[in-house]
Amino acid sequence: MTMPIPMAGIGPAWPVPEAAAPLSDATLDELATTIAVEATVIGLGESTRFARETFIVRDQLFRRLARQHGFRALAMQDDATVAAKLDRYVTTGEGTARSALDGAFRPWQTVEMATALEWMREFNRDRPDDPIRIFGVKPAQPLPADYDAILDCARQSAPERLAELASHLDPIRTAHQTEEHVQRAQRTHPGRPFAEHARDALKIVEALPDHSSGAVVERMRLIVRFHENSVAGKGSYAGDANVWADTISAYQRRTDTRVAYWDGIAHTAAAPAVLGLQPERGPQPTTGSVLRQRYGDRYVSVAIGFHHGDLGIAVVPDPEADLIDAKLAQPDRPPNHWLDLRSANMRRRWDGPAKARVISGIYDPSRDSAEYMAVASLPDAFDVLVHLDEVTPTRWLS
């Protein structure tokens, strides 16, 4: 059975002590130095966004990349508006880490992410002329205020249409808290596709006698694009690889800075990937594969995975034998370790098709064998593998 993503009250109350990284300081120092050499953009990908330990490793690597290797930009899978709030917090101290995360991509709304933002704020406080900046790889997306503004316009100019308009907007605005495809997996979805509701709402808004010189119509069109381009709207788990890569490349060229990119491994992989939940679609381009085409070896792809553990949304069993997550867990290796696949010897040893487990918000243990991404060549997809033995859940901000 698919487990719902917890919305509040999970884990200890805020604040809590920061957890120790599952790799030693010396190991993390060595790993950061290894991946930073000649890198312009580094994709720090996790096999799941719900594991505390994988997040901590990624966060600790980024801190070292910033402190010791001059990385000054963090690209995240979120939209430009949300990322601007995060950027304002870490550069100016406006608000708090918690308030900055309000409205962010749900997996970012954790104690671990808030702790990472607080560290960035402290880092920037001492370096006002050389700060870490945050930007989102997605275009600006609608906010709850946009839905409210549209309803207010109808309330004032055509109150007789208000109930009809609300019947379309009320169910679909929930996707900003729990994505539509996750609602379908949890069996909480109201039934009708959200994109259809959005298009019907647009027709109503276009017919309103007063829509503020088109401003309200533009807000409604933004909502339509959001739902049409969602996972459920497109019918695909693949992201907009070229659009997201364009955003990263444009920022990097404009600022001439080194960039770390935080996302799932199905997006950061430096080669096209087949998703186990949609194998019929074949290899799909990833943001990392586009960046590899543009930057060559100056794009470094790091995969942070794990063997088993409790993610809060589900208890993940030991991986099946054909997954890379199982092959990395050998008795002759430490439970937590990393491998650099870029040398000729390591490439020969690990080259060839590979599957890595990918656990999203719709993960279902009963179909664990289908929750993976597959690549034609493991070293082409990932330069470095970080393997952790056991993980525990991230802690939701409540």
Side-chain angles (χ1 to χ4, degrees), residues 284-360:
Q284 298 293 304
T286 64
T287 305
S289 68
V290 179
L291 293 171
R292 174 58 58 83
Q293 291 173 358
R294 297 177 182 177
Y295 288 94
D297 291 342
R298 292 185 299 122
Y299 174 70
V300 176
S301 173
V302 179
I304 307 170
F306 70 99
H307 187 263
H308 67 278
D310 184 353
L311 297 179
I313 63 166
V315 175
V316 181
D318 292 358
E320 295 194 1
D322 62 337
L323 291 174
I324 191 67
D325 313 78
K327 296 176 181 178
L328 290 170
Q330 299 298 325
D332 60 338
R333 295 194 183 97
N336 303 324
H337 63 279
W338 62 277
L339 298 175
D340 189 337
L341 304 183
R342 291 172 292 183
S343 70
N345 286 338
M346 291 298 286
R347 172 171 280 275
R348 280 194 298 269
R349 180 176 178 182
W350 292 96
D351 200 9
K355 295 196 302 184
R357 189 152 55 184
V358 174
I359 298 177
S360 67

Side-chain angles (χ1 to χ4, degrees), residues 356-396:
R357 189 152 55 184
V358 174
I359 298 177
S360 67
I362 62 170
Y363 174 74
D364 186 339
S366 69
R367 64 176 187 209
D368 183 71
S369 60
E371 307 272 358
Y372 67 86
M373 59 170 286
V375 293
S377 167
L378 185 66
D380 285 348
F382 302 112
D383 299 298
V384 171
L385 302 176
V386 179
H387 176 77
L388 307 179
D389 181 44
E390 184 174 5
V391 295
T392 58
T394 52
R395 295 157 296 171
W396 302 100

Side-chain angles (χ1 to χ4, degrees), residues 150-155 158-167 204:
I150 292 166
L151 292 169
D152 285 343
C153 181
R155 186 175 293 108
E160 72 280 2
R161 305 294 307 270
L162 179 61
E164 181 186 8
L165 182 59
S167 72
I204 297 172

